[in-house]
Amino acid sequence: MASFTDDFNRPDSTSLGASWVEVSGDWSIVSGQLSPGNDGGTIILRAATAMDSSDHSAQATIAATTAASHGVWCRGNTGFSSGYLWRNDGSVWTLFSVVSSTFTEIGSYTAAAAPGDVCKVQAVGSTIKGYVNGVERVSVVNTAVTTGTSAGIRSISSSSIRFDDFAAADVTAGAPLGTATATEGAQSLAGSKAATIGPAVAAESAQALTGVKVALLGTAVEVDAAQVLAGARTTSLLAAAQTDTAQPLTVAISQALSTAGAGETARPLTGAKTTALAPATEADTARPFTAGAGTGGGIDHVTAGTPRTAWVAGRLRAPAWTAGTPRT
């Protein structure tokens, strides 16, 4: 694979040296850069080293620019009457195919050239590309020019245009791969393989508490619970949960009581109480029999009826009868 480069870092001279062929015009080195002169008209410069194949690229840095045609050339013949040109005219980058000195536009990218821009043209097979600062701006398929091993620069002769760091090189296209036929299956392990193991990643487990640890607590947010006299208070801490237990009563608290609600209890009777009674209903009680004196020596009969305070036995009968035996 052939390649060619020139950074033009040598003394000012109207002679570029044996590495270049001035196809037309008068080229020179000025301040370490390539100048197309100031004669006007279009001039062409070709690298003396030819590329090994027609698939190659050419690029250069535009050190100074103006609104005039200037750019790089690849796949050219020795007189540059054929090949591919990528150039800027002050507003547009245009890709041309050149056949027998006839220029045909085959692609473009709208942008003005700027100092420091790197322009590159590449031809591989029928694919022709134009780049600016390493970015592909145009890519076309064109078969107008199929052979040519010369690379170089084409420009309007103007002292306002300068070039630097030219490079050309063959491009090897990737070879197409055939269809694969072999298919491999998984292989059984036929032996053992030992490998050095790197340092293990440390893993820590929980450690048993072996001492007392004291930490500064953050500002506590105090929450009061119901108070029992001098009572228990619960405090919520930011960094730790802390619960106070009930504290013994250490002070006495006096409190005025409100008026009690009236309530009466039964009182013992301390005097006498009289009341008028309703008329009583008379009730007789059984009276014991007493023997009466009379002729019969007994009681003839007794009439029951209206209660009496005393009853009188009737005439006496004889013989006398004993209480307890019924008589007719």
Side-chain angles (χ1 to χ4, degrees):
M1 292 177 59
S3 63
F4 172 81
T5 61
D6 192 348
D7 60 10
F8 307 105
N9 290 334
R10 47 190 182 271
D12 292 358
S13 173
T14 57
S15 173
L16 303 181
S19 297
W20 291 98
V21 175
E22 297 182 36
V23 178
S24 61
D26 187 14
W27 298 78
S28 61
I29 295 175
V30 178
S31 301
Q33 297 173 342
L34 176 67
S35 171
N38 196 29
D39 295 335
T42 301
I43 60 176
I44 298 172
L45 181 68
R46 171 172 62 85
T49 301
M51 299 297 102
D52 288 340
S53 75
S54 297
D55 293 340
H56 59 266
S57 66
Q59 71 177 45
T61 299
I62 298 177
T65 184
T66 189
S69 177
H70 52 298
V72 288
W73 191 299
C74 75
R75 196 178 280 181
N77 59 6
T78 56
F80 277 4
S81 61
S82 68
Y84 289 101
L85 172 68
W86 177 238
R87 60 89 164 159
N88 191 276
D89 63 0
S91 61
V92 179
W93 288 97
T94 305
L95 183 62
F96 291 95
S97 66
V98 183
V99 178
S100 300
S101 299
T102 300
F103 290 74
T104 303
E105 180 180 335
I106 59 175
S108 65
Y109 165 65
T110 301
D117 280 352
V118 176
C119 57
K120 174 181 176 182
V121 61
Q122 176 178 290
V124 176
S126 60
T127 301
I128 316 302
K129 296 181 179 182
Y131 298 81
V132 177
N133 297 324
V135 179
E136 180 185 300
R137 297 301 185 181
V138 173
S139 178
V140 297
V141 173
N142 185 269
T143 59
V145 181
T146 58
T147 60
T149 58
S150 295
I153 298 173
R154 183 179 187 273
S155 175
I156 293 294
S157 179
S158 170
S159 59
S160 298
I161 298 174
R162 297 285 177 87
F163 297 92
D164 205 353
D165 298 323
F166 179 87
D170 284 314
V171 177
T172 302
L177 298 177
T179 304
T181 56
T183 302
E184 294 185 353
Q187 303 296 314
S188 60
L189 185 62
S192 60
K193 188 173 185 179
T196 302
I197 298 175
V201 177
E204 295 183 353
S205 58
Q207 302 297 314
L209 183 62
T210 57
V212 177
K213 189 172 185 179
V214 178
L216 180 63
L217 298 178
T219 304
V221 176
E222 185 173 72
V223 178
D224 289 342
Q227 303 298 314
V228 181
L229 295 180
R233 170 175 289 182
T234 302
T235 302
S236 174
L237 300 179
L238 289 178
Q242 179 173 306
T243 302
D244 293 340
T245 57
Q247 301 299 315
L249 183 62
T250 58
V251 297
I253 292 180
S254 298
Q255 182 174 354
L257 300 178
S258 60
T259 304
E264 294 183 354
T265 58
R267 303 292 184 181
L269 185 60
T270 58
K273 190 173 185 181
T274 60
T275 185
L277 299 177
T281 301
E282 183 178 2
D284 289 344
T285 58
R287 303 288 183 178
F289 289 107
T290 58
T295 304
I299 298 172
D300 185 24
H301 66 273
V302 175
T303 301
T306 303
R308 300 289 295 276
T309 58
W311 59 273
V312 178
R315 65 184 178 84
L316 297 175
R317 299 285 301 273
W321 55 271
T322 303
T325 304
R327 297 295 293 277
T328 57

